[in-house]
Amino acid sequence: MIFGVIQERKSPPDRRVVFTPEELVRLQSQYPEAKVKVETSPIRVFPDDAYAILGIEVTTDMTTCDVLFGVKEVPIDALIPNKKYFFFSHTIKKQLYNRKLLQAVLAKNIELYDHETIVDAQNKRLIGFGRYAGIVGAYNGFRGFGIKYELFTLPKAETLQSKDDLIVRLKRVTLPNIKVVLTGHGKVGMGAKEILDGMKMKEVSLDDYLTKTFTQPVYTQIDVMDYNKRKDGLRNDKKDFYAHPEAYVSDFERFAKVTDLFIAGHFHGNGSPDILTQSMLHAPDCKIKVVADVSCDVDGPIACTLRATTIAEPFMGYLPSEHKEVPYTHPGSILVMSVDNLPCELPKDASEGFGEMFMQHVLPAFFNGDKDGILHRAQITAHGQLTPRFAYLQDYVDGK
């Protein structure tokens, strides 16, 4: 079996890669029957020479590969027919802008496996870049706070090399006694927590956060039942919330009244109530000054996330009184960071972490007969058709 690591061709450029040079060496050592090739790339965080020096073939011809690995969507004209592809296709939620991509995958008889569909038997995702989104998003939140209030200047994360570099820079700044609330305990939320703990910010309990005043910066990490409550007050537990999200409303207002910086690292399910509403942001006792929306659901549960910002221009201003975007220098604005491709700012760390997960959870399936069903569950297309698990996409493919 020949594995191929393809060049990233989507614009803006993405320097991440599924496998680092060292990981490909380990792959070939663990699975001697496998052969690997790397497509030449002018932008990849690991240059061609880093692969070649370790004896990995670097080439412009990937047609002999059986399985091709990428990160972002592959342009239609670059798809090689009759191959197996792994990449983030951004089609499984029926994204209109990628309908033609899925149509082309089917027309070219490609077996598509989306990184997002690689799950275990309990449908829990096994790989992703969420941790690094949280790491960079938290850093950007503090960077935005320093810029907004002219307290300190931090370099862009993309100019630094690793998470450790981000923490070193954050340790050098002096913060006022602000309060930071972090939502989420998944990969994104825990990635952001790595930054907060790395910079030695004091973590406090939810009750102390809401009721006490501190002489130093503090943070609290909250979960879904901390910021949602049932409308009728009859019960309040996760199982009920996930079964009946429509029966709940946001209870985040109590945090908005005492929070300076909100780092949003939660997962927001369909039907769940909005978390931070326009009315909360417009309330006279709202203290929020900066929102780092790592989850970045545009027009979603965080009212001030009006659009995705970019790595080049990561900050925008939100004017609560008019629910509109303004320059973040506007004195009445809340600074919002809503970059939707944060891991791109730490391509080396993100690539290393992603490859480790792929080696652990996915690669064995190619050599053990897929005994755990990893590949079977992840496969979106086969023989020019949608697989049964993804048959719900047929009307999307048909343009309906």
Side-chain angles (χ1 to χ4, degrees), residues 71 77 129 166 180 192 243 263 285 330:
V71 178
D77 59 1
F129 288 102
L166 305 188
V180 180
I263 303 173
D285 56 354
H330 188 295

Side-chain angles (χ1 to χ4, degrees), residues 125-330:
R125 283 187 62 182
L126 294 173
I127 61 173
F129 288 102
R131 177 191 171 207
Y132 296 94
I135 287 169
V136 178
Y139 176 86
N140 282 354
F142 288 108
R143 180 170 177 262
F145 194 94
I147 290 172
K148 172 75 173 174
Y149 294 100
E150 299 180 348
L151 295 173
F152 50 82
T153 301
L154 288 167
K156 282 191 170 187
E158 65 176 339
T159 66
L160 304 175
Q161 294 299 312
S162 67
K163 179 193 81 171
D164 292 341
D165 291 340
L166 305 188
I167 290 172
V168 166
R169 298 303 179 114
L170 286 168
K171 280 183 173 180
R172 293 176 184 170
V173 305
T174 301
L175 286 167
N177 59 332
I178 62 172
K179 286 185 173 181
V180 180
V181 66
L182 167 62
T183 52
H185 283 77
K187 288 183 173 63
V188 174
M190 298 311 290
K193 190 177 191 302
E194 288 183 52
I195 289 293
L196 296 168
D197 291 341
M199 61 189 289
K200 305 300 183 185
M201 182 172 285
K202 180 180 177 62
E203 182 176 10
V204 298
S205 70
L206 182 155
D207 289 338
D208 284 353
Y209 184 89
L210 292 173
T211 60
K212 292 184 178 180
T213 301
F214 298 89
T215 58
Q216 65 187 103
V218 299
Y219 84 92
T220 195
Q221 184 179 22
I222 59 177
D223 208 350
V224 63
M225 298 319 301
D226 297 321
Y227 56 84
N228 288 292
K229 60 182 178 181
R230 194 173 167 102
K231 296 174 185 176
D232 57 20
L234 293 179
R235 59 184 294 190
N236 208 53
D237 62 76
K238 266 190 181 182
K239 187 175 180 181
D240 181 62
F241 174 79
Y242 289 131
H244 306 286
E246 74 284 350
Y248 285 76
V249 294
S250 174
D251 194 24
F252 193 81
E253 186 172 14
R254 56 188 181 146
F255 294 98
K257 293 178 180 180
V258 298
T259 293
D260 299 287
L261 168 57
F262 171 27
I263 303 173
H266 54 265
F267 169 78
H268 188 260
N270 291 334
S272 299
D274 289 346
I275 299 168
L276 179 59
T277 65
Q278 182 187 358
S279 62
M280 291 180 196
L281 289 164
H282 187 39
D285 56 354
C286 176
K287 280 196 65 183
I288 293 175
K289 302 172 179 65
V290 173
V291 174
D293 189 356
V294 185
S295 298
C296 189
D297 293 319
V298 176
D299 292 327
I302 309 299
C304 53
T305 303
L306 302 178
R307 64 175 176 88
T309 56
T310 65
I311 291 173
E313 299 290 341
F315 307 121
M316 66 177 177
Y318 172 79
L319 192 61
S321 59
E322 299 183 37
H323 186 58
K324 72 176 185 180
E325 180 179 346
V326 294
Y328 64 76
T329 53
H330 188 295

